[in-house]
Amino acid sequence: ETLRNIIIIKPQWLIDALSSVIRDESLHALDEKEFENVGLKKDLELTFQDSLASYDFLNYVWGGDQVEFFIDLMKRTMLLSEWNYREEKYYLIPSLLKRKKEPQNELEGIRCVFDFSKTFLPNGVFQRLICLSIAHCSSFVKANDGAVVEEPDLYKNFGVIEFEPGSKLHFYEDTVLQQIVVYVDNPELAKKSLEKILAMLRKLNFDVMDGGLNWNTLLEEPQNHKMITYEVAKKKGLLPWFEKSKAKNRGVDAENVDLGSFLDNLASL
């Protein structure tokens, strides 16, 4: 809703500002010598090698003008999230992730699949889900007295993120099958993890995709490893995704709520 209230009189100004950061470095390289001269060579390398931008880097490429506005805008459009895993403050920009990984031997846990194959999985949805996940981790740590979680391991199509201590989620984008596959390594937190991922997908669908995303959710039966639909699993009270009692999954409101409040509510689950 906040984004709908922003009016950009000169769209090219905004495009130029964002493209100075979100760019294909192999086609539109920045002048390395220039950044070396201003003491930002390492910042430049970190941005385009690890997708982690320092505030100093962003401040320089934006000429010190409207820096906080651009950072806030990129947060709200899920193009950037704070990276609070190191002493110095960085910002993750998932769209700059280049390396891919085929993690056949690293996908551990129980699966949930978000299947977009009846339509298609648009470019950038996976990266925005990763961005929201990192933002959620920061909110969770703040809400839980500085709980310690491991630094995520991220690739263009794969990521391992510790949502909370003792609970790692493995995210994988399958562009062939048009699916996002998530493995939850701690079955005790499968229900909560599913609620959070579904809330994040609804949030990016409403805020960024104008409600145009369509997917089916499939859940793994632990006993036989078969995948069944969310609706069937819910009706059966399939553990560990649902409780057999009639208690409803709590859910998180994703529409008509600002991103900060959404993340606070997500962290409280």
Side-chain angles (χ1 to χ4, degrees):
E1 187 64 27
T2 302
L3 294 178
R4 289 177 170 83
N5 293 328
I6 296 176
I7 298 174
I8 304 296
I9 299 174
K10 296 181 179 179
Q12 191 60 47
W13 168 77
L14 180 61
I15 293 170
D16 290 343
L18 297 183
S19 62
S20 64
V21 176
I22 301 176
R23 59 199 296 146
D24 186 338
E25 182 69 358
S26 64
L27 297 176
H28 307 286
L30 294 171
D31 186 347
E32 184 176 320
K33 190 66 176 177
E34 175 187 347
F35 283 83
E36 184 177 4
N37 290 339
V38 295
L40 292 173
K41 182 181 179 181
K42 289 184 178 180
D43 299 69
L44 174 67
E45 292 172 348
L46 192 63
T47 300
F48 291 101
Q49 290 178 8
D50 295 339
S51 306
L52 296 177
S54 67
Y55 183 89
D56 289 343
F57 173 83
L58 296 175
N59 185 63
Y60 182 76
V61 296
W62 288 328
D65 183 35
Q66 302 294 333
V67 177
E68 297 299 334
F69 167 77
F70 290 131
I71 288 175
D72 185 61
L73 180 66
M74 290 182 70
K75 284 181 181 179
R76 293 178 184 278
T77 51
M78 302 162 205
L79 295 172
L80 169 152
S81 60
E82 293 183 11
W83 185 265
N84 297 321
Y85 297 95
R86 304 182 183 183
E87 290 186 7
E88 186 177 345
K89 188 173 184 178
Y90 291 100
Y91 298 93
L92 173 71
I93 306 175
S95 58
L96 295 180
L97 290 165
K98 298 183 182 70
R99 294 181 300 153
K100 287 189 173 184
K101 188 171 188 177
E102 297 304 326
Q104 290 89 346
N105 299 322
E106 298 182 35
L107 297 175
E108 302 175 354
I110 186 169
R111 282 177 297 165
C112 50
V113 175
F114 307 94
D115 182 10
F116 297 79
S117 62
K118 286 190 176 180
T119 52
F120 69 103
L121 175 58
N123 290 332
V125 168
F126 180 77
Q127 288 72 26
R128 281 185 161 99
L129 180 59
I130 293 296
C131 199
L132 266 182
S133 297
I134 299 300
H136 160 63
C137 289
S138 294
S139 294
F140 178 86
V141 168
K142 291 176 183 177
N144 289 272
D145 299 321
V148 179
V149 293
E150 292 182 16
E151 181 170 303
D153 184 22
L154 301 180
Y155 299 81
K156 185 175 183 177
N157 64 327
F158 175 68
V160 181
I161 303 173
E162 190 171 26
F163 261 39
E164 56 184 85
S167 177
K168 288 184 180 179
L169 273 61
H170 296 69
F171 292 79
Y172 177 63
E173 180 184 30
D174 190 328
T175 54
V176 175
L177 296 180
Q178 296 286 283
Q179 295 176 343
I180 293 175
V181 184
V182 180
Y183 286 73
V184 183
D185 72 353
N186 185 346
E188 293 182 2
L189 295 173
K191 177 178 179 291
K192 184 192 291 188
S193 299
L194 175 63
E195 290 175 353
K196 290 183 176 184
I197 296 168
L198 285 172
M200 287 189 284
L201 285 172
R202 291 195 301 269
K203 184 62 174 170
L204 72 87
N205 189 27
F206 180 76
D207 282 11
V208 181
M209 305 303 296
D210 199 27
L213 284 181
N214 293 286
W215 69 88
N216 291 318
T217 302
L218 306 172
L219 304 173
E220 181 178 1
E221 292 188 278
Q223 295 80 8
N224 55 28
H225 304 296
K226 290 183 178 179
M227 304 301 294
I228 62 175
T229 66
Y230 177 95
E231 292 74 20
V232 170
K234 184 177 181 181
K235 187 175 181 179
K236 293 173 63 174
L238 180 67
L239 294 172
W241 304 109
F242 296 94
E243 297 172 352
K244 287 188 177 296
S245 68
K246 293 184 179 180
K248 294 182 179 180
N249 280 25
R250 289 165 288 176
V252 173
D253 184 17
E255 298 185 12
N256 300 313
V257 59
D258 68 88
L259 183 60
S261 297
F262 170 79
L263 291 171
D264 289 342
N265 293 336
L266 204 65
S268 69
L269 279 181

